[in-house]
Amino acid sequence: MSRRLLLSTAMASALSSPRLARAQGRRVLRFVPQSDLAILDPVWTPAYVTRNHGLMVFDTLYGMDGAYQIQPQMVEGHVVEPDGLTWTLTLREGLRWHDGEKVLARDCTASIRRWAARDGLGQSLMAATAELSAPDDRTLRFRLKKPFPLLTYALGKPGSPVCVMMPERLAQTDPGTQVKEMIGSGPFRFVAEERLAGARVVYARNPDYVPRPGTASFTAGPKEVFFERVEWHVLPDPSTAAAALRAGEVDWWEAPSFDLLPMLARDPAIHTAVPDPTGYIGTLRLNHLHAPFNNPALRRALLPALRQADFMQAVAGESPEGWRDGVGFFCPGTPMASTAGLDILTAPRDLERARREVAASGYRGEPAVVLAPSDFPNLKALADVTADLLRRVGITVDYQALDWGSTLGRLARTGPVSEGGWSAFGTFWAGLDQLDPAVHASLRANGLAGPRGWPTSEKLEALRASWMEQADQGERLRLAAEMQRQAFEDVPYIPLGQLLARTSWRGITTPLQGFALFWGIRPA
């Protein structure tokens, strides 16, 4: 029996008992996540499923509200000296770890250091920091080398990896090694003994959690929990997940497939909506280290022929509610988004122009290896459209279908295609990770120290550095627009459109909080 069929059969049996469903209905929230929770450490990986798990177990010093503003969370507040070089943060009273110990400032300084070693914005923060200390049990102090206006933004951003707080003994774990214990101070406790890898993850309400005052909004404000227990049921087969939701065996399916949405919409007990208006942004990563895409003229030559709608329709179909095109390098509908330079993607498509520019670029027929994850339908769809586009403009394509694990292994290779490298790969990033230059890792252009594809652009990096140092919002907007213009010259990657994924639920109040967050939800 296949693993998928075994899991589906086991879940159908476990969830089908009416007596169990009725007994647990008021105290258990049953959730189907987007994928299995393979990695528990939310600092070690940027995987969104791990980020969602991490925010249940751990808390953060600051959070982001629904207006994308940073608010105090574990801290009462902070004081900044007039020169902008000393920041003093004070923890709230009554914070405790799940093992009963008090949350201390030295726990938090150790957590910040470990997170910063693996996060781009965290690295920038620590590069600007002369000293990070804990003068007493409730006080954290940053002494900076130069002003860093984004300090609280860095500590409170919801994009992966999130700066979660953990006890000092865990935070002292080498950043390259995963933390083994899930001891946080968040609204849920991780029930390790009930975890069944590939099938189930269990959380219990933390009775000692003290929500901060105010109104809950996204990752900010009081994290009030109204269920005693949350169970994640991993159902890899979409049809099985849909059947479980329709039968009332689960309460919430995080990411239903687009082809099943019409069926779910016909069920009056099921609600479906877009949880996060920032959605997911499709990106075509190009390998800048080797031919053929180490040639900037060739990268630019693709733009007149590329049609974002082709990529989005391949994933989400014809429904105009499922996607948007006309997307630049910053998430649509957020402050830094602009139309600067965007006409290269929004003007009428010109295949013949693209072919001429490919020929004029000096392209010599080198094969472009397109990676296609055969077991990841959305990403395979991006690969199929990419391969077709490259062939139509005159580029030789080597289409390689691999499983997802093998694809990840290939993407880490920096060698040429003759040594098992790659040339092009399509993927999605949350719009929250493309809000601005501070969190937009895909827009980094710092070579081998940067993201996969390893682009290099001194101009892009200089503009990013200027944006990071700028406190004036008007100047930030100007610099972000200039970055977008420069990105269309250097082409670190190509934006492919915005996917507006849905979530579906029944029997609970609306869980629309940006992504899968488990506070504020009640039995309906």
Side-chain angles (χ1 to χ4, degrees), residues 105-106 109 113 129 131-136 139-143:
R106 66 173 181 265
T109 57
R113 290 190 181 97
T129 299
E131 181 185 29
L132 171 58
S133 62
D136 59 50
T139 304
L140 293 75
R141 183 163 294 145
F142 284 87
R143 187 168 58 83

Side-chain angles (χ1 to χ4, degrees), residues 138-150:
R138 291 182 57 210
T139 304
L140 293 75
R141 183 163 294 145
F142 284 87
R143 187 168 58 83
L144 303 178
K145 302 172 187 176
K146 59 181 181 179
F148 195 85
L150 299 173

Side-chain angles (χ1 to χ4, degrees), residues 24-25 85 108 120 138 164 212 222 239 287 376 384 422 444 479 511:
Q24 293 185 347
L85 297 179
C108 299
R138 291 182 57 210
V164 297
R212 70 171 299 114
S239 296
N287 192 326
F376 207 140
D384 292 344
W422 60 278
R444 292 301 305 268
L479 288 167

Side-chain angles (χ1 to χ4, degrees), residues 431-448:
L432 288 169
D433 288 329
Q434 296 191 4
L435 288 180
D436 54 51
V439 298
H440 198 335
S442 299
L443 202 51
R444 292 301 305 268
N446 52 341
L448 287 171

Side-chain angles (χ1 to χ4, degrees), residues 200-247:
R200 184 183 65 219
V201 188
V202 177
Y203 306 87
R205 184 179 70 85
N206 176 13
D208 299 322
Y209 185 77
V210 180
R212 70 171 299 114
T215 303
S217 180
F218 196 22
T219 64
K223 298 178 179 178
E224 296 183 280
V225 173
F226 300 101
F227 287 90
E228 291 300 315
R229 178 180 169 96
V230 174
E231 297 174 355
W232 287 20
H233 295 286
V234 181
L235 299 178
D237 177 57
S239 296
T240 301
L245 182 63
R246 295 184 69 193

Side-chain angles (χ1 to χ4, degrees), residues 206-388:
N206 176 13
D208 299 322
Y209 185 77
V210 180
R212 70 171 299 114
T215 303
S217 180
F218 196 22
T219 64
K223 298 178 179 178
E224 296 183 280
V225 173
F226 300 101
F227 287 90
E228 291 300 315
R229 178 180 169 96
V230 174
E231 297 174 355
W232 287 20
H233 295 286
V234 181
L235 299 178
D237 177 57
S239 296
T240 301
L245 182 63
R246 295 184 69 193
E249 295 165 349
V250 297
D251 308 299
W252 182 9
W253 183 12
E254 181 182 9
S257 55
F258 280 91
D259 61 321
L260 293 176
L261 288 174
M263 177 189 69
L264 296 177
R266 290 193 293 270
D267 189 325
I270 294 176
H271 306 274
T272 298
V274 176
D276 180 6
T278 69
Y280 291 87
I281 310 299
T283 61
L284 177 58
R285 300 297 300 185
L286 302 172
N287 192 326
H288 289 232
L289 298 182
H290 304 287
F293 295 122
N294 60 346
N295 178 351
L298 182 60
R299 297 195 298 269
R300 288 192 295 270
L302 304 180
L303 301 178
L306 185 140
R307 186 172 178 266
Q308 290 184 339
D310 291 341
F311 290 87
M312 294 298 99
Q313 287 171 348
V315 173
E318 298 290 337
S319 172
E321 298 178 351
W323 52 268
R324 294 176 184 148
D325 55 6
V327 175
F329 285 91
F330 297 104
C331 180
T334 62
M336 295 300 134
S338 75
T339 59
L342 195 57
D343 58 303
I344 190 64
L345 290 179
T346 57
R349 302 294 76 199
D350 192 336
L351 181 62
E352 290 305 317
R353 174 187 168 185
R355 288 173 173 166
R356 292 194 302 270
E357 292 186 4
V358 167
S361 72
Y363 172 64
R364 299 179 180 179
E366 302 97 334
V369 171
V370 177
L371 299 184
S374 56
D375 54 350
F376 207 140
N378 286 356
L379 302 193
K380 181 181 181 299
L382 297 184
D384 292 344
V385 179
T386 296
D388 178 66

Side-chain angles (χ1 to χ4, degrees), residues 455-477:
T456 298
S457 170
E458 292 182 1
K459 291 182 178 179
L460 269 178
E461 286 296 291
L463 286 166
R464 177 182 178 274
S466 296
W467 191 96
M468 297 275 289
E469 295 172 357
Q470 183 55 246
D472 179 75
Q473 182 72 352
E475 184 62 11
R476 282 181 176 173
L477 293 171

